[in-house]
Amino acid sequence: MKKVIITTSNNLYFDNRVHKITLALIELGFEVLKTGRQLPEIQNPMNRPGREKRFRLPFKKGPLFYFFLNIYTFWFLVFSRLDLIWAVDMDTLPAAKCAAVIKRKPIVFDGHEYFSELPELTNRQKTKGIWVKLERIFLPGCNLYYTVSPGLVNLYKLNLNLDFRLLRNFPIQRKEIKIPILKADEKIILYQGALNTGRGLEQAIKALSFLEDNYRMVIVGRGDITDELIQLTKSMNLEKRVIFTGPVPFEELHKYQENAMLGLALHENMGLNYYHALPNRIFDYIQAGIPVLANDFPDMAEIINNSETGLITNSLEPEIIAST
């Protein structure tokens, strides 16, 4: 059986896309092993397909995190039996590409993001410049390229002259779907995903103050601005109307979708990566029968307008979000 090693920088616990790719590769007859990082506070879910190797890294963030991540990943790949490397995003590509060259094995690049256009790099020009150089050095020469939206396909072609294939973030088909009751007395607005800068979460919380008390917001996930969002909720006396569930494995997300009347997929225009985003949650909401509220960015707006599955807003002003 041919073996694929998928390289990531995360703990694999919440990575639904990697899970779906693993299922697809196993169905095609591959043995799959996934690499990631070990976070002691996360309890690994049981019975997921494919084997996993999590590295205990000496740093949790910053340049030294990426340095040691690539060192650990490189040596693991070099001393492993494999027939194909599947590199997820730029943060593991240097290690994966070097190992692929040494072992003379094919490599697939799966770009979930356009890394040098991440919003976290917007005001960090030196760091952004380093990622741009790494993209130009390591991206050319891969055997296949995938990314998540038509806009990112075009962006990679324009900036690097690379031909990416589109691999959307569709959810796995479920046999039984409970369509939400959209006219319930308690109106639940749902957000699922990372709680990071530029996701429109601050504005959405503020929008609750323009809505009646029977509107609630359920925020499923965690991220870099979790503490700031909790503090904002307290400062606005909205603790009873905003529920933070914390991190939830993707197998359990449907439990929070069943009672929602609206799903949020808002982004600030903080770089081309967000502008061309097409996240998992949009398709998860649609599958669950939940209308979506999203930005007028081209890739998201095309899906929602063409399929008539929600509303588009051209403003993130809290009062306008509430009105919409």
Side-chain angles (χ1 to χ4, degrees):
M1 183 180 289
K2 291 191 174 182
K3 182 178 179 181
V4 180
I5 296 183
I6 302 174
T7 64
T8 78
S9 63
N10 61 57
N11 59 28
L12 300 170
Y13 188 70
F14 308 106
D15 201 326
N16 201 356
R17 182 176 172 91
V18 167
H19 172 68
K20 290 179 283 188
I21 289 168
T22 299
L23 290 175
L25 290 170
I26 290 174
E27 190 174 327
L28 290 170
F30 289 94
E31 176 190 351
V32 179
L33 186 149
K34 298 166 281 187
T35 70
R37 61 187 295 195
Q38 180 68 44
L39 293 177
E41 64 270 24
I42 298 295
Q43 187 174 10
N44 299 337
M46 304 296 291
N47 301 321
R48 283 188 181 171
R51 294 188 297 121
E52 297 179 356
K53 172 65 178 179
R54 291 180 174 86
F55 304 119
R56 293 185 179 273
L57 302 173
F59 296 90
K60 292 185 176 182
K61 60 182 180 179
L64 288 174
F65 162 74
Y66 291 108
F67 174 77
F68 280 99
L69 171 70
N70 278 273
I71 293 295
Y72 281 49
T73 302
F74 171 76
W75 286 113
F76 181 80
L77 292 172
V78 167
F79 288 104
S80 296
R81 178 186 69 81
L82 60 89
D83 299 282
L84 172 69
I85 299 174
W86 190 291
V88 172
D89 283 329
M90 271 304 302
D91 42 9
T92 62
L93 183 61
K97 185 75 176 294
C98 291
V101 170
I102 290 173
K103 294 178 75 72
R104 298 182 181 180
K105 299 295 183 181
I107 181 170
V108 174
F109 177 74
D110 185 15
H112 300 187
E113 316 271 3
Y114 197 104
F115 219 77
S116 61
E117 287 291 336
L118 287 172
E120 293 86 350
L121 302 179
T122 301
N123 298 316
R124 300 166 61 194
Q125 292 305 311
K126 281 188 176 180
T127 305
K128 180 175 180 176
I130 291 172
W131 285 111
V132 169
K133 289 179 180 178
L134 290 174
E135 286 170 345
R136 291 173 179 170
I137 293 170
F138 289 103
L139 275 172
C142 294
N143 298 86
L144 279 174
Y145 301 92
Y146 292 103
T147 193
V148 297
S149 73
L152 291 185
V153 169
N154 294 333
L155 199 60
Y156 277 114
K157 182 65 176 178
L158 178 66
N159 290 348
L160 295 164
N161 196 30
L162 296 173
D163 295 317
F164 274 67
R165 301 184 183 195
L166 180 62
L167 189 60
R168 294 190 194 271
N169 278 320
F170 291 158
I172 296 170
Q173 188 174 12
R174 297 211 310 267
K175 293 181 180 179
E176 295 183 5
I177 298 175
K178 296 180 181 179
I179 300 301
I181 300 172
L182 301 181
K183 294 184 179 180
D185 292 335
E186 187 176 64
K187 302 180 185 300
I188 296 176
I189 301 165
L190 174 66
Y191 173 86
Q192 63 179 57
L195 277 54
N196 291 340
T197 301
R199 301 286 179 101
L201 291 166
E202 299 97 328
Q203 296 91 331
I205 290 171
K206 291 176 181 178
L208 281 181
S209 64
F210 297 98
L211 295 167
E212 297 175 356
D213 289 344
N214 62 337
Y215 280 85
R216 302 282 189 270
M217 188 172 178
V218 177
I219 299 176
V220 182
R222 72 172 184 182
D224 298 337
I225 62 168
T226 300
D227 293 339
E228 290 89 334
L229 294 175
I230 292 173
Q231 186 58 43
L232 173 64
T233 301
K234 290 179 179 179
S235 69
M236 298 184 67
N237 297 317
L238 293 172
E239 294 101 318
K240 294 182 179 180
R241 297 178 62 189
V242 181
I243 299 168
F244 293 89
T245 70
V248 171
F250 48 75
E251 294 95 337
E252 298 180 13
L253 288 175
H254 65 92
K255 298 177 183 178
Y256 299 91
Q257 297 165 356
E258 291 172 3
N259 299 313
M261 61 157 286
L262 179 73
L264 295 179
L266 300 173
H267 287 80
E268 297 178 44
N269 193 353
M270 299 178 67
L272 294 172
N273 184 63
Y274 271 7
Y275 187 70
H276 292 294
L278 205 49
N280 288 331
R281 57 184 163 275
I282 286 183
F283 301 110
D284 288 347
Y285 296 150
I286 292 173
Q287 184 188 60
I290 305 170
V292 186
L293 177 59
N295 302 81
D296 59 345
F297 297 168
D299 295 281
M300 291 190 285
E302 180 182 14
I303 293 289
I304 292 167
N305 287 333
N306 289 349
S307 58
E308 299 182 341
T309 50
L311 290 174
I312 300 299
T313 178
N314 59 7
S315 173
L316 289 184
E317 288 295 323
E319 192 168 2
I320 293 177
I321 292 174
S323 175
T324 306

